[in-house]
Structures are given as C-alpha cells and as structure tokens.
Amino acid sequence: MIKREDILKDKPVIIAGPCAVESQEQIGSIALKLKDLGVKILRAQLWKPRTTPNSFQGVGYQGVEWLKKIKAKTGLLIATEIVDGENIEMVKDVADILWVGARNMQNFELLKKIGKDPRVVILKNGLVANIKEWLGAAEYIGFDKVIMCERGVRSGCDSMRFTLDINSALIMKHDKGFPVIIDPSHSAGRSDMVPPLAFASIASGVDGVVVEVHENPTEALSDADQQITPEVLKTMIEKINQIYSVVHQD
Ligand code: PEP
Ligand code: MN
C-alpha cells in the first residue's frame, strides 16, 4: 500500500488523466501517453457526480478491470473518486488513492466510511466551504492520510467557472501542515487558463497539481472545455519543473 510520504517523495506531484474514464481504449491510450511524460499518478474516475441526471454518469464498476490492466502494464498509481460507500470495496484491488470530490466534502457518512480505509485520500474543498468546514472533513477521514486539493471556489465573478483560492491552499499547507495540491482544471473551466493557473499554483509553493488531460478534448463526455491535450501537458510539465526548482532552490 502506497503511503502519503511515498507520494510526496517525488515533487512536484503531478496527477493527470481525463475528467472521466470513458472506455477501455480511451483510458488505456491516455495512460501510456501520460506515463511517457513522466506522470506517476493517473486520475481515473469511474463514477462521476454530475449536476444533471441525463449527463454522462461514468462507466462505473466495469472500469475496474480496465484499470487493473493499465496498472499491471504501466505501473501507474491509480487515484479514483468514491461517490458511495460501496465503491470503496469495489476498487480495493486497484485504487492506490481514494478521492473525495467537491460535492461530497460534507457527505459525512461517506467520509466516515472512507475514514475506515487505510489508503491515502485526496480531499477537495466544497464549492463554498470555509477553512473550518474543509478541516472538519479532513478530520472525519483522518488528518494523517489526507492530501488537500484546492479546486476553486464560487465567487462573485461569473466570467470563469470557479476562482482559484490560493490563500486557502497556503493556509492548509503552512498553518495546518497538510500536503496540498491544486486543481487548475476545475478552477479554470477552460483549457487555455489551465497552464497559467498551474504555474501560479506551483509558484505559490504547493506540492503539486492535478490536471485533466484528454487526447481529444472536444469529444470528451464531460468537461470538454477544460481538458488539455497530452501535448500541452508536456510543455506545461517542463515549465512546472523549472518553476518548482526556482521556488525551492534554497
Ligand atoms: C473531478 O475532479 O473529477 C471533479 C468532479 O471535480 P470537483 O469535485 O472538484 O468538482
Ligand atoms: Mn472534470
């Protein structure tokens, strides 16, 4: 079982993958490309909490077998979102990192169940959660196995999907002592904003980023506007590594 300190040994932490697993071919192909780019952790969401019931809900349990094959072939670590207590058992042989999405940050019964599992958990902030509420969620899961993920908050500004709250990320990192990663994809809501927000994130001193990547973003079944291509990710990683080394040079 991978421990939190093992994940954090290799910084900046870069987690990448599509918004959602869509098919065996799609996730298999992107996984190989991401591995070639040096990514070690694949975001592989099988279940998707969606705003409306007619939108793509994820491939569900059938994707577990696909992920097992990818893991055996590539050695990538698998991070996957848990939306229901039953999912925890379903992914027990394949997921290295469990994930709590923004909409479930205050699903306390779910948090309690995830808290019983020993695996590392990525915990996103709720859309309008304050620091105290985000911390409370981490306490349900267990402070020592959580990686906090800032994913943007609702603000008065309607030109963007969300507003990246670097302040909160830094409070969690420096005042509260958590490892922190930032999700520039959901903060931005549009692909052109993802690299600059990722650069700002790394420049702020957090431990890493999680980015949505799709080989054919316009065809994506969810979050088509914000997914970047592997080609964009490649140059983004090069710059991220440069920024990280400048920020942490002494
Ligand atoms: C996700 O990362 O897959 C996602 C749905 O984002 P969030 O929970 O931050 O909205
Ligand atoms: Mn998404």
Side-chain angles (χ1 to χ4, degrees):
M1 194 186 69
I2 186 95
K3 295 207 211 74
R4 189 173 72 171
E5 58 261 37
D6 299 328
I7 294 167
L8 295 163
K9 259 182 213 147
D10 202 3
K11 290 204 273 191
V13 175
I14 302 197
I15 304 175
C19 175
V21 172
E22 299 172 358
S23 67
Q24 185 165 9
E25 295 67 38
Q26 172 247 14
I27 192 68
S29 172
I30 191 84
L32 289 177
K33 289 213 169 154
L34 294 172
K35 187 181 163 73
D36 279 351
L37 297 183
V39 170
K40 308 236 165 53
I41 306 174
L42 180 67
R43 65 162 276 152
Q45 318 299 48
L46 302 176
W47 296 276
K48 296 295 301 170
R50 303 302 303 282
T51 305
T52 53
N54 292 327
S55 46
F56 177 61
Q57 302 287 309
V59 296
Y61 182 65
Q62 62 175 323
V64 167
E65 288 308 312
W66 310 341
L67 297 183
K68 279 186 189 163
K69 283 187 193 139
I70 288 166
K71 190 173 166 149
K73 188 165 168 187
T74 63
L76 285 165
L77 296 174
I78 304 285
T80 198
E81 180 164 351
I82 300 298
V83 301
D84 187 300
E86 287 179 352
N87 303 156
I88 301 172
E89 180 68 15
M90 289 175 178
V91 299
K92 87 171 176 340
D93 297 329
V94 76
D96 300 285
I97 302 172
L98 305 181
W99 181 307
V100 176
R103 286 152 195 83
N104 277 317
M105 192 212 81
Q106 287 196 309
N107 182 342
F108 301 114
E109 294 308 313
L110 182 66
L111 299 180
K112 283 183 205 168
K113 287 176 188 153
I114 291 176
K116 292 195 180 114
D117 192 283
R119 283 171 282 188
V120 175
V121 179
I122 291 174
L123 174 62
K124 290 186 149 194
N125 59 291
L127 308 186
V128 290
N130 62 28
I131 293 285
K132 203 173 148 203
E133 291 159 343
W134 196 9
L135 268 179
E139 190 170 0
Y140 270 101
I141 293 168
F143 287 136
D144 55 355
K145 61 180 196 200
V146 164
I147 297 175
M148 296 298 227
C149 177
E150 161 57 36
R151 50 81 68 217
V153 290
R154 289 249 194 259
S155 69
C157 170
D158 65 3
S159 63
M160 305 300 298
R161 193 174 182 192
F162 293 99
T163 299
L164 175 54
D165 182 6
I166 291 185
N167 305 33
S168 292
L170 296 185
I171 286 171
M172 286 303 178
K173 181 157 177 64
H174 298 300
D175 296 2
K176 309 297 179 190
F178 287 101
V180 175
I181 58 174
I182 285 180
D183 173 351
S185 305
H186 289 88
S187 312
R190 46 185 261 199
S191 55
D192 62 332
M193 290 272 185
V194 172
L197 289 185
F199 303 149
S201 302
I202 295 298
S204 80
V206 300
D207 302 295
V209 288
V210 50
V211 188
E212 286 190 343
V213 187
H214 197 286
E215 286 185 276
N216 196 353
T218 54
E219 301 292 313
L221 299 182
S222 56
D223 284 346
D225 293 343
Q226 72 194 30
Q227 303 209 53
I228 60 169
T229 60
E231 293 72 32
V232 172
L233 182 70
K234 182 173 191 292
T235 51
M236 201 175 110
I237 289 177
E238 285 161 12
K239 263 201 200 166
I240 279 178
N241 286 334
Q242 287 172 15
I243 296 169
Y244 189 89
S245 59
V246 170
V247 172
H248 298 273
Q249 66 194 346
D250 23 71

